[in-house]
């Protein structure tokens, strides 16, 4: 009986140690980026209703004044609503869009609740059956935590590899 209690306490201590080692904020940011990638990816035709739903979901992970530069020097209009409309217009013209995150480093700022992440992504876009873009691009993403959720404040394209 004593051995079982000691073993259970030891197991609890080891689990507690590993639980405290997890950076939960960085993990939440990685999960949020995964959700964005899932929303942006497209494999074939979709209904207008689904496209509008994805656009709304995408704007929900952006701050109201978000700015996104998708390629160096090329950005969408500023603001979550404008970005949602731009996404809807662009996404409806794309046949296929694939994004693979190759590397994602997260730094939680001392000015919490802000963070910065560096992302390397492999992107491929087909438009009218022809490959328009295939590149590996590095991004710097600035995050802000609002009402418990990490939202994208700005995305800056750092260039291709």
């Amino acid at each position: 009986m004593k051995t079982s209690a000691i073993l259970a306490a030891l197991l609890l201590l080891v689990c507690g140690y590993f639980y405290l080692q997890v950076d939960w904020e960085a993990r939440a940011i990685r999960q949020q980026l995964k959700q964005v990638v899932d929303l942006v990816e497209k494999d074939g035709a979709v209904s207008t209703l689904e496209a509008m739903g994805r656009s709304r979901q995408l704007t929900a992970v952006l701050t109201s004044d978000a700015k996104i530069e998708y390629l160096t020097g090329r950005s969408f209009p500023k603001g979550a609503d404008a970005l949602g409309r731009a996404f809807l217009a662009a996404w409806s013209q794309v046949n296929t869009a694939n994004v693979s995150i190759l590397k994602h480093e997260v730094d939680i700022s001392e000015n919490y609740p802000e963070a910065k992440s560096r992302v390397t992504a492999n992107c491929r876009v087909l438009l009218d059956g022809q490959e328009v873009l295939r590149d590996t691009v590095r991004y710097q993403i600035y995050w802000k935590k609002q009402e418990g959720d990490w939202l994208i404040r700005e995305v800056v394209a750092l260039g291709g590899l």
Side-chain angles (χ1 to χ4, degrees):
M1 185 69 160
K2 228 180 194 182
T3 307
S4 299
I6 292 172
L7 187 59
L10 186 59
L11 183 62
L12 187 61
L13 185 62
V14 169
C15 289
Y17 171 78
F18 284 112
Y19 179 81
L20 293 174
Q21 297 304 309
V22 173
D23 187 343
W24 294 103
E25 298 300 332
R27 184 178 173 166
I29 288 171
R30 286 187 182 91
Q31 189 62 31
Q32 192 73 298
L33 183 62
K34 183 185 178 314
Q35 180 184 353
V36 169
V37 168
D38 290 345
L39 289 170
V40 170
E41 286 195 317
K42 181 179 181 183
D43 189 24
V46 297
S47 70
T48 303
L49 196 57
E50 181 180 344
M52 289 172 61
R54 284 184 182 229
S55 175
R56 274 193 296 275
Q57 289 176 354
L58 184 64
T59 60
V61 299
L62 303 171
T63 62
S64 61
D65 62 342
K67 179 182 176 187
I68 296 181
E69 183 179 83
Y70 55 95
L71 292 174
T72 305
R74 300 173 84 182
S75 60
F76 290 113
K78 189 175 179 181
D81 291 337
L83 286 166
R85 288 190 299 274
F87 169 79
L88 189 57
W91 205 66
S92 64
Q93 295 177 20
V94 170
N95 299 95
T96 304
N98 300 101
V99 178
S100 299
I101 302 298
L102 304 175
K103 187 175 182 181
H104 187 191
E105 299 170 356
V106 178
D107 293 322
I108 306 297
S109 172
E110 291 178 14
N111 297 331
Y112 182 81
E114 294 183 0
K116 173 174 59 173
S117 59
R118 286 168 302 287
V119 176
T120 304
N122 190 351
C123 308
R124 181 174 179 248
V125 176
L126 292 176
L127 181 64
D128 295 328
Q130 299 206 3
E131 193 169 81
V132 176
L133 171 71
R134 180 184 208 120
D135 204 355
T136 300
V137 183
R138 293 177 305 125
Y139 295 98
Q140 188 150 303
I141 304 173
Y142 296 92
W143 300 85
K144 185 170 183 112
K145 192 166 188 179
Q146 293 180 341
E147 299 177 18
D149 293 322
W150 283 101
L151 304 180
I152 295 172
R153 183 174 53 82
E154 184 176 4
V155 176
V156 178
L158 301 175
L161 291 180

